[in-house]
Amino acid sequence: MKKFRLGVPLLLVLLFAGSAYYLTDSRAGVIREYNEKLQQAREAVQNGVLTDGMSMYREALAIHPSVEIYTEAGNVFLDKEDPSAAYSWYEKEFAPAYPDAPKTYEFGIRASLAAQDYQEAFAIYDTCAKREALSTAVKELMEPVWYAYELLYGRYDQAAAFSVDNGLAAVASDGRWGYVNQKGTSVIGASYLSADLFATYAPVVDADGNASYIDASGNAKITASQFTNEDGNPAGIKQFRPLAGGFALAFNGSSWSYYDLETYQKRPGSYADATVIANGVGAVTEDGNTWALIGADGSIRTPYDYEEVAVNDRGEICCADRLFVKKDGTYWLTDPNGTQISAQAYEDADAFYEDSYAAVKKDGVWQYINASGEEQNLGTFEEAKSFSNGMAAVKINGMWGYIDLEGKQAIAPVFYDAGAFHRAGVAFVKQTEDDWSVLRLYRRSS
């Protein structure tokens, strides 16, 4: 009995030893098979037999999957300059196997960039960011193409800024105006004598000389016949400017006035010229020579002391509670009440477009300041425009390009002129001395 009991542990030891040997031998066999498949894959690729090579890679990955071998296999397509096959490998095999690995997205971006499919590269980058898998390598891959762009079909004689409300922009060809979307596609045909910025509705004058505000389908929503003078008689409106601050700014053939959008009745005051009232302030002139600031309540806030007031592409004079007025031949930074912000005078200035930096001319060159009047170290330029959606148009060696908020060249100066950027990453640029086109950044494309 004792001998039997003593023999049980010995038997167990032998059994465990045998199992361990079997497992070790089996594991070694799997490793040998994996290495053989991998070696066969590499040799096949080296000999130009890609189909067999990729088949062997897949068999090796079925035995022991890894990010490194998925990358190695995908690189076969990139080395053979077949970015389409490389992207297919990323999309159908690599990404499903390792959806959270930074190297997965690194490979996908490399494949997309090899195909010059920048829009897809940015889509992969966005997916990578959402999965919190951004790596230094991914960021470095995207850095050179961060401001890659395309110029869309269509050339125009004139172009207004893209609307914040619906993204449409007024463009003119052969003397007639219409509207295009951010893809440069015509949305409202070029049938108008004049057209301006969309702001809920767009101000147009049709072929018969009738002024109205239209919607994004080209339907008239507010017509000139609805507006009256203070005495109730027809106002005789000939032209509108963009809607802003709850008012319509309209021209009756001899003067500009503001009209209430609830009653369509003229408010007190008639002017030789006027700007829209936005962000609580606008500007008016009675004689066409000197300007004053006007509040949303119709009160004149300052004397008619200004020779000019800077206006941005939206027709606004004030943004971030700052504006530029010209007095005694120089421009000054003020608040909406005309109170001077700094003691620095400028030879010229471009109105603020957003709460970042505005372009000013000092000592013969253009540079940038913030809303406090502090100079920013972004460089000096022959000409410059204020920042809009993080980009600013600057003129270098006679041509226009764009810089970012750090002063880095985002888009090379290759255009004859350049407009403000919309938040969707589109802007109008002049490819020739006469023609405007839509420039669209791939990273913001929808």
Side-chain angles (χ1 to χ4, degrees):
M1 195 71 172
K2 288 182 179 179
K3 289 181 180 180
F4 178 76
R5 289 175 179 172
L6 288 172
V8 170
L10 179 60
L11 179 60
L12 290 174
V13 169
L14 292 173
L15 288 172
F16 280 128
S19 298
Y21 175 79
Y22 174 78
L23 291 172
T24 301
D25 185 61
S26 176
R27 177 65 177 164
V30 170
I31 293 173
R32 280 196 300 273
E33 183 182 5
Y34 169 76
N35 287 331
E36 287 172 2
K37 300 287 186 187
L38 202 55
Q39 183 62 29
Q40 290 170 3
R42 290 165 176 165
E43 288 177 356
V45 169
Q46 187 174 4
N47 292 327
V49 188
L50 298 189
T51 302
D52 290 351
M54 294 310 297
S55 178
M56 289 297 102
Y57 270 121
R58 289 185 178 92
E59 290 186 25
L61 287 166
I63 297 171
H64 178 62
S66 70
V67 170
E68 289 73 22
I69 299 305
Y70 269 104
T71 301
E72 179 181 317
N75 282 339
V76 169
F77 297 117
L78 292 180
D79 292 342
K80 297 299 181 180
E81 297 183 355
D82 190 352
S84 177
Y87 181 80
S88 179
W89 176 261
Y90 156 77
E91 183 181 39
K92 297 178 180 178
E93 308 205 39
F94 201 163
Y98 289 95
D100 297 317
K103 284 188 176 296
T104 300
Y105 299 103
E106 180 183 337
F107 179 80
I109 289 171
R110 286 198 292 119
S112 298
L113 294 179
Q116 295 186 330
D117 190 345
Y118 301 111
Q119 192 165 342
E120 183 58 35
F122 282 109
I124 295 172
Y125 178 89
D126 289 341
T127 301
C128 182
K130 289 177 182 177
R131 290 185 175 272
E132 299 182 347
L134 285 178
S135 64
T136 300
V138 167
K139 294 177 181 177
E140 288 177 348
L141 279 170
M142 298 306 298
E143 182 65 26
V145 297
W146 195 247
Y147 293 109
Y149 65 87
E150 63 177 332
L151 293 172
L152 304 181
Y153 175 79
R155 295 194 171 187
Y156 315 105
D157 301 331
Q158 298 180 69
F162 283 97
S163 167
V164 174
D165 294 271
N166 60 17
L168 300 185
V171 295
S173 296
D174 299 323
R176 292 300 174 105
W177 288 81
Y179 288 85
V180 297
N181 63 19
Q182 293 166 10
K183 295 182 179 180
T185 303
S186 176
V187 175
I188 301 174
S191 62
Y192 300 100
L193 297 179
S194 70
D196 209 333
L197 181 79
F198 246 104
T200 307
Y201 301 128
V204 297
V205 176
D206 68 19
D208 296 322
N210 300 311
S212 65
Y213 287 102
I214 61 171
D215 64 14
S217 297
N219 301 313
K221 303 301 291 186
I222 306 173
T223 64
S225 62
Q226 294 174 253
F227 291 82
T228 64
N229 292 322
E230 295 164 289
D231 58 10
N233 290 320
I237 302 302
K238 306 297 183 185
Q239 183 182 352
F240 291 109
R241 282 188 175 152
L243 295 173
F247 309 111
L249 177 57
F251 183 64
N252 66 6
S254 59
S255 62
W256 290 89
S257 299
Y258 299 98
Y259 293 79
D260 189 280
L261 282 178
E262 292 185 2
T263 64
Y264 300 115
Q265 191 172 51
K266 179 181 174 296
R267 303 182 72 193
S270 297
Y271 309 100
D273 203 353
T275 73
V276 298
I277 297 176
N279 303 311
V281 64
V284 294
T285 175
E286 292 182 335
D287 61 6
N289 296 313
T290 57
W291 292 75
L293 302 184
I294 185 173
D297 60 358
S299 63
I300 302 299
R301 294 186 176 182
T302 66
Y304 284 87
D305 284 348
Y306 307 129
E307 296 149 28
E308 288 182 16
V309 179
V311 181
N312 67 23
D313 284 358
R314 292 193 294 255
E316 304 165 346
I317 67 168
C318 182
C319 187
D321 279 338
R322 295 293 182 266
L323 55 99
F324 292 101
V325 296
K326 186 178 182 181
K327 187 176 181 180
D328 299 328
T330 55
Y331 283 83
W332 304 86
L333 179 65
T334 78
D335 69 10
N337 294 312
T339 303
Q340 198 170 302
I341 299 301
S342 73
Q344 179 63 57
Y346 303 102
E347 297 153 31
D348 205 347
D350 193 46
F352 275 93
Y353 206 95
E354 62 183 32
D355 188 10
S356 61
Y357 309 134
V360 293
K361 187 177 183 182
K362 177 184 172 185
D363 298 329
V365 295
W366 286 81
Q367 60 190 71
Y368 288 91
I369 62 170
N370 64 15
S372 298
E374 298 165 333
E375 295 181 3
Q376 305 301 300
N377 187 25
L378 305 181
T380 57
F381 308 95
E382 296 166 25
E383 291 185 49
K385 300 179 183 180
S386 295
F387 275 88
S388 54
N389 294 287
M391 302 274 275
V394 295
K395 191 174 186 181
I396 302 171
N397 295 327
M399 300 297 282
W400 288 86
Y402 291 91
I403 60 171
D404 64 18
L405 286 165
E406 295 179 351
K408 296 178 181 177
Q409 181 176 288
I411 297 176
V414 295
F415 305 109
Y416 288 88
D417 203 349
F421 256 96
H422 185 270
R423 64 190 175 196
V426 289
F428 283 105
V429 294
K430 265 192 170 183
Q431 293 190 72
T432 70
E433 293 184 5
D434 301 315
D435 299 321
W436 290 90
S437 298
V438 178
L439 178 153
R440 182 172 65 166
L441 293 177
Y442 287 107
R443 72 182 173 101
R444 296 187 189 174
S445 297
S446 57

